[in-house]
Amino acid sequence: MSLNLEQYVSEFSAHNVNGEHLLQLDGSKLKALGMTSSQDRAVIKKKLKEMKASLEKARKAQEKMEKQREKLRKKEQEQLQRKSKKPDKCSSDATEGASEQ
C-alpha cells in the first residue's frame, strides 16, 4: 500500500503472501499473482532488493555484536582464571609472618 499498489493486496492476501514469502518472489511469481504491469513488478522488485539488503546488513550487525559479546565473555573468564591462580599477597604475607615467630 505504501508503494501505491493497493490493487494487489487482495490477491496477495488470497495467496497468503506474508513477509517471508514476499522476499522469495521474483518477476514470474509476481506475474502469476496477477501483477501484469511490468512497471509495478519493477517497483516491487526494487523494494524487495532494498529490503533484502537491509536485512543482510542487520544480520551482519547482529553477528558482529554476538562476536563482540563472546570476546568480552572470554576476556572476563580469562581474568577470573588469572585472579584465582594468583596467590593472595596479603594472606601469603600473613603466613610468612606467623612462620617467622
Side-chain angles (χ1 to χ4, degrees):
M1 290 173 67
S2 66
L3 300 174
N4 295 321
L5 299 171
E6 298 87 10
Q7 65 270 31
Y8 302 111
V9 171
S10 61
E11 194 65 33
F12 278 51
S13 294
H15 285 89
N16 298 317
V17 176
N18 59 20
E20 193 172 320
H21 185 212
L22 184 65
L23 290 172
Q24 304 303 318
L25 297 178
D26 59 13
S28 62
K29 291 176 184 174
L30 290 169
K31 207 174 204 180
L33 284 170
M35 195 172 274
T36 55
S37 167
S38 61
Q39 288 178 329
D40 290 351
R41 287 194 306 273
V43 167
I44 291 280
K45 288 192 293 186
K46 181 181 177 187
K47 192 63 168 177
L48 289 174
K49 186 176 180 179
E50 290 171 6
M51 289 170 62
K52 287 176 185 179
S54 179
L55 285 171
E56 183 64 19
K57 186 176 179 180
R59 184 190 63 79
K60 285 183 180 182
Q62 181 69 27
E63 284 179 1
K64 185 177 180 180
M65 290 277 288
E66 288 172 10
K67 284 181 183 179
Q68 287 175 340
R69 281 191 207 122
E70 185 60 30
K71 189 176 180 180
L72 185 60
R73 272 193 291 265
K74 284 181 181 180
K75 187 176 181 179
E76 288 172 348
Q77 192 174 17
E78 287 172 2
Q79 287 175 345
L80 286 173
Q81 286 176 350
R82 277 191 230 122
K83 283 182 180 180
S84 66
K85 288 182 181 178
K86 281 186 180 178
D88 188 7
K89 187 171 183 170
C90 292
S91 63
S92 66
D93 287 347
T95 54
E96 286 175 13
S99 63
E100 288 177 5
Q101 292 175 356

